[in-house]
Amino acid sequence: MSEKEEQDLPMNDGPSKPAMREALVAAAFELFLERGFEQTTVDDIVSLAGVGRRSFFRYFPAKEDVVFPDHERSLAEMTEFLESGSGEEDPVKHACDAARLVLRMYAEQPSFSVQRYRLTRKVPGLRAYELSVVWRYEHTLAAYLRGRYADRPDGPLRADVIAAAVVAAHNHALRTWLRSGGESDWVAEVDAAMAFVTSTWSDRPADPAPEGEGAADDVVVLVASRRAPLWRMVQGIESAIGETRRA
């Protein structure tokens, strides 16, 4: 009988849902670092977290999933961002901006991200799992680009190649940042990587730089809900700046 199929032990589930999820992740990583991934069982994790087995599988289908607890949310945010486009924006730049969301997710928790990177380097099974997650990001980007290039004879090929290029550039920036222990400037890393992709594949010229070195800086004030995702706030700022430049 698998761990998932076994009967849950009657334990107090105590903490709220977000707190319980975080407690499971924290307990798992403490044990992974202390004992190793393969030597740690789900029973070990729930015992340290103080919850039942059923609670673990409510949040994570398998032990591998606790190592990557934030990718489902990140994939959902990427999909929402891609679908939020007007259809008039540069598809390559829009795909690159979607990839930035993923690196920002890593940068939100630098210590955890660096620990996960070091762990996946040691466990082949986790590396294979990580590659399957990367493929889902690439598939999501390719699906968006196929829609944007549907009227081109080379549309499917172009979409797949650009999606692969975006993911490769993103991963280059991400690995550079992770290898620095989370100390390097991740914004500069991803900016340079995405600029390379857009300069190589975009059909549209880059936005011109503002004229005049002594021009006064514009001030943009954005009012947004606390619950709004960060990418939507950035999108609102970019839209406001665009309106200002056209005026």
Side-chain angles (χ1 to χ4, degrees):
M1 182 179 294
S2 69
E3 290 182 329
K4 187 182 295 187
E5 294 171 335
E6 291 182 11
Q7 187 69 28
D8 189 17
L9 298 175
M11 296 181 69
N12 179 20
D13 285 349
S16 65
K17 289 183 178 181
M20 185 185 301
R21 191 172 188 274
E22 292 172 5
L24 286 166
V25 173
F29 265 81
E30 181 178 336
L31 292 169
F32 294 158
L33 294 173
E34 177 185 321
R35 305 179 183 179
F37 178 81
E38 301 293 350
Q39 289 71 35
T40 300
T41 66
V42 170
D43 283 334
D44 295 332
I45 296 170
V46 298
S47 177
L48 182 59
V51 300
R53 290 168 54 83
R54 189 172 300 160
S55 297
F56 181 91
F57 291 114
R58 187 179 303 143
Y59 295 101
F60 307 107
K63 188 172 68 171
E64 289 78 9
D65 293 285
V66 78
V67 182
F68 305 93
D70 35 24
H71 280 298
E72 290 300 326
R73 171 179 63 87
S74 184
L75 276 162
E77 288 185 354
M78 171 186 276
T79 301
E80 182 183 1
F81 177 82
L82 291 170
E83 293 175 349
S84 74
S86 65
E88 299 299 322
E89 67 280 339
D90 177 1
V92 179
K93 182 179 184 301
H94 198 57
C96 287
D97 288 343
R100 292 171 190 271
L101 299 176
V102 184
L103 212 156
R104 183 177 292 120
M105 175 267 291
Y106 279 89
E108 286 174 354
Q109 302 182 71
S111 296
F112 175 74
S113 296
V114 171
Q115 283 184 347
R116 173 167 57 190
Y117 173 71
R118 291 171 179 168
L119 182 64
T120 55
R121 302 283 72 74
K122 298 177 181 178
V123 183
L126 290 179
R127 179 58 181 158
Y129 185 97
E130 185 178 45
L131 291 174
S132 72
V133 174
V134 171
W135 180 86
R136 293 176 66 191
Y137 284 116
E138 185 174 331
H139 178 76
T140 300
L141 290 168
Y144 160 74
L145 291 166
R146 281 172 177 260
R148 291 299 305 273
Y149 294 130
D151 59 343
R152 298 181 59 140
D154 65 347
L157 175 61
R158 176 173 287 267
D160 289 350
V161 171
I162 294 174
V166 171
V167 169
H170 167 274
N171 288 346
H172 173 82
L174 175 60
R175 284 192 297 269
T176 300
W177 177 71
L178 290 171
R179 287 168 182 163
S180 76
E183 297 295 329
S184 67
D185 186 346
W186 71 268
V187 175
E189 298 289 354
V190 75
D191 281 351
M194 295 303 118
F196 178 79
V197 175
T198 53
S199 65
T200 302
W201 289 104
S202 178
D203 293 330
R204 304 185 188 182
D207 293 334
E211 296 182 3
E213 295 182 1
D217 290 336
D218 291 328
V219 176
V220 177
V221 178
L222 175 69
V223 179
S225 168
R226 286 180 178 270
R227 297 181 180 178
L230 184 58
W231 65 261
R232 192 176 293 281
M233 297 182 190
V234 174
Q235 193 177 60
I237 294 172
E238 289 178 342
S239 176
I241 292 174
E243 291 293 337
T244 301
R245 287 177 178 173
R246 284 193 291 275

